[in-house]
């Protein structure tokens, strides 16, 4: 399974987008200080090798940071 994570940037920024399991272990790096221009962006998260469960993704862009929950069902 895969899912698309979408985010908007009001201005260009270096972006970090990482996925963690419920215990806080890093399971995927989708962007690591990758430069994105202003606008809407989509990043595909492919979950091969991961089991069903609750995961968190953390987006950091400039001074903004947000962590959200997602449920992976297989």
């Amino acid at each position: 399974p895969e899912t698309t994570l979408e985010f908007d940037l009001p201005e260009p920024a270096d972006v970090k987008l990482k996925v963690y399991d419920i215990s806080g272990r890093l399971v995927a790096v989708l962007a690591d200080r990758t430069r994105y221009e202003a606008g809407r962006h989509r990043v595909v998260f492919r979950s091969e090798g991961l089991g069903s469960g609750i995961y968190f993704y953390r987006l950091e862009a400039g001074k903004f940071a947000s962590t959200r929950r997602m449920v992976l069902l297989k």
Side-chain angles (χ1 to χ4, degrees):
E2 66 182 36
T3 190
T4 302
L5 304 174
E6 295 184 5
F7 58 94
D8 294 309
L9 295 176
E11 58 189 35
D14 292 334
V15 172
K16 292 182 188 178
L17 182 56
K18 300 179 181 182
V19 180
Y20 300 87
D21 66 12
I22 192 75
S23 65
R25 182 176 58 100
L26 178 66
V27 297
V29 177
L30 306 177
D32 189 17
R33 295 186 206 113
T34 305
R35 186 73 173 175
Y36 283 89
E37 296 302 319
R40 176 162 289 216
H41 302 279
R42 294 181 177 145
V43 177
V44 176
F45 171 55
R46 292 179 180 84
S47 60
E48 292 97 7
L50 297 176
S52 295
I54 297 173
Y55 293 85
F56 297 91
Y57 61 94
R58 181 164 178 83
L59 173 70
E60 296 178 20
K63 296 178 182 179
F64 174 81
S66 177
T67 303
R68 299 259 173 118
R69 182 178 72 146
M70 66 179 160
V71 177
L72 176 61
L73 297 175
K74 289 189 172 183

